[in-house]
Amino acid sequence: MSGPTIELTLALALRDQGALLVDARSPGEFAEATIPGAINIPVFDDLERSRVGTVYKQQGRVEAYRLAVELVSPKIPAMVDQALAARGDSNRPVVVFCWRGGMRSRALTAFLELAGIPALQLVGGHKKFRALVRDFFECGEWGRLLVLRGLTGVGKTRLLKRLEAQGYPVLDLEALANHRGSAFGALGLSAQPSQKAFEASLWDALRRIPVDGFALTEGESKLIGRVALPPRLYEALQVETSLWIEASLDYRVEIILQEYPARDELKAAFTGPIKALKRRLGGETVERLLGLLEVGQWRLLVRELMVLYYDPLYSYTRPEQRIEIDIEAEDEGLAGLKAAIDSILRAGKKTVAASAGTDG
């Protein structure tokens, strides 16, 4: 038994209009990557999926399907209830997918249809979605990316958030990567997404930037933590005149202290990243930094890390083609940043930086 099917392009259009996407794959598959916005109603858990696959290889299709029926039958009411709860009182359609658009999504679609929930099976499944994402990063188009740059601690991310709150379109790469983009960027955060999950979220954000529009973003290295920017996106970050944020060392230290409010609770987590700087800074310097960490001299520790590590590491990122904005007083600096953005947009064309580096 099977239900009606739907092609990927139409399914994504329905998703944008509020359709409920249901990933019928196992929790492990779902955790690795899914279509953004989908919920997980697994037909098999990870162990059951492995068992069915083993039986298929060793005993054949008929025995594997028999085992699948045996495993799934007791769970059908709970799966239907989960879909009903997620759908709520709305009449929005449900689109179900698995890896290739095979047995799992076909079965779950049929179960939902029998329960009176209009459901469609996605042709090609998540595999087809992954192909769409790869194609997008190879030849897709998006609007201009105006790039904020500056030395560590100038508050680029908080400026982006303030601009976003005022209606400016923003592409927050660090939020998508769940990493602050520095040696200490993972501290206090949950695990980063997988590369596939990061690319899916990035695709979803980039495709919303009209080709004739723009978005503000932050200059990043090719790697944000352990996830990599697609090459064409990284290249796109280099082609605009940079909005260079300038601030004093004292201001930058204060910003960094505000970004890590739970410093004492994270003290042990700082040890490893500091020790990892030994090759660049030397053993004696690292021991001194660890000593500052031990006694909780946070302000001095941050200042030392700025002077000894971050500023020398990223000083080359100051591009020749740039508009400088002094952010010492944040409100005035924000006004200057908005004026600089408006001037770039009025110019109406891209300018290639002669030396467009990367930011951490």
Side-chain angles (χ1 to χ4, degrees):
M1 182 180 296
S2 63
T5 60
I6 188 171
E7 295 290 339
L8 179 60
T9 302
L10 182 54
L12 293 174
L14 288 176
R15 165 193 173 275
D16 291 343
Q17 297 170 18
L20 174 65
L21 266 62
V22 174
D23 190 336
R25 297 175 303 155
S26 70
E29 293 171 287
F30 178 79
E32 181 185 9
T34 191
I35 300 176
I39 66 167
N40 189 208
I41 303 181
V43 172
F44 304 129
D45 62 28
D46 295 314
L47 180 59
E48 290 168 342
R49 173 174 173 255
S50 178
R51 286 180 60 194
V52 172
T54 300
V55 170
Y56 190 95
K57 291 178 181 178
Q58 295 179 351
Q59 301 179 40
R61 178 174 177 272
V62 173
E63 287 300 317
Y65 276 33
R66 183 182 181 282
L67 174 60
V69 170
E70 179 183 330
L71 294 172
V72 171
S73 296
K75 299 191 292 183
I76 294 174
M79 290 190 290
V80 170
D81 287 346
Q82 189 177 347
L84 284 170
R87 191 165 175 256
D89 296 329
S90 69
N91 292 320
R92 56 179 177 158
V94 177
V95 177
V96 183
F97 64 94
C98 57
W99 170 231
R100 291 191 181 118
M103 180 181 69
R104 290 180 289 177
S105 57
R106 185 165 64 247
L108 183 53
T109 301
F111 300 154
L112 297 180
E113 284 279 310
L114 286 171
I117 303 173
L120 303 165
Q121 181 193 13
L122 177 60
V123 175
H126 188 261
K127 183 178 182 180
K128 192 166 186 178
F129 171 72
R130 275 294 301 161
L132 178 146
V133 170
R134 288 194 299 269
D135 288 346
F136 179 80
F137 287 123
E138 288 179 4
C139 56
E141 293 184 311
W142 53 82
R144 298 174 67 181
L145 297 176
L146 307 187
V147 185
L148 274 65
R149 300 186 186 276
L151 295 178
T152 301
V154 296
K156 299 182 288 291
T157 300
R158 62 193 283 164
L159 288 170
L160 285 177
K161 291 187 181 302
R162 288 194 63 178
L163 288 167
E164 187 173 31
Q166 295 180 27
Y168 283 80
V170 167
L171 176 66
D172 193 339
L173 295 171
E174 292 185 358
L176 295 175
N178 198 34
H179 196 281
R180 298 185 187 90
S182 69
F184 301 87
L187 295 182
L189 301 177
S190 57
Q192 285 192 265
S194 69
Q195 182 66 32
K196 290 180 180 179
F198 173 64
E199 290 174 2
S201 298
L202 190 54
W203 160 84
D204 202 24
L206 280 172
R207 73 187 183 94
R208 298 176 190 277
I209 305 173
V211 175
D212 59 351
F214 78 98
L216 301 167
T217 192
E218 184 175 340
E220 298 290 349
S221 301
K222 292 181 179 180
L223 289 175
I224 307 178
R226 62 179 178 82
V227 297
L229 291 177
R232 285 184 65 240
L233 174 59
Y234 175 75
E235 292 165 7
L237 298 180
Q238 317 309 316
V239 300
E240 290 278 4
T241 296
S242 293
L243 297 157
W244 182 266
I245 312 301
E246 193 70 50
S248 69
L249 178 60
D250 286 340
Y251 179 90
R252 294 190 289 129
V253 168
E254 188 60 37
I255 293 295
I256 292 296
L257 291 174
Q258 292 176 19
E259 287 187 357
Y260 294 91
R263 294 183 294 275
D264 292 331
E265 291 87 340
L266 293 171
K267 184 180 289 187
F270 278 88
T271 302
I274 291 176
K275 287 182 176 179
L277 303 180
K278 183 175 181 180
R279 184 175 179 180
R280 180 176 291 272
L281 301 182
E284 184 177 338
T285 297
V286 165
E287 288 302 317
R288 179 162 56 82
L289 294 175
L290 290 172
L292 294 175
L293 174 67
E294 179 62 28
V295 297
Q297 291 286 335
W298 291 104
R299 192 172 299 277
L300 182 56
L301 174 62
V302 170
R303 178 179 286 272
E304 290 285 274
L305 285 169
M306 292 282 202
V307 172
L308 298 174
Y309 175 68
Y310 281 108
D311 288 359
L313 183 64
Y314 296 123
S315 60
Y316 77 94
T317 66
R318 188 191 302 263
E320 292 183 10
Q321 292 286 348
R322 65 183 184 271
I323 298 176
E324 293 193 1
I325 301 99
D326 191 337
I327 206 71
E328 203 69 29
E330 187 170 292
D331 287 341
E332 294 178 7
L334 188 66
L337 179 55
K338 291 162 70 174
I341 293 167
D342 291 343
S343 71
I344 291 177
L345 294 176
R346 283 197 302 271
K349 62 180 180 179
K350 297 182 180 181
T351 54
V352 179
S355 176
T358 60
D359 287 292

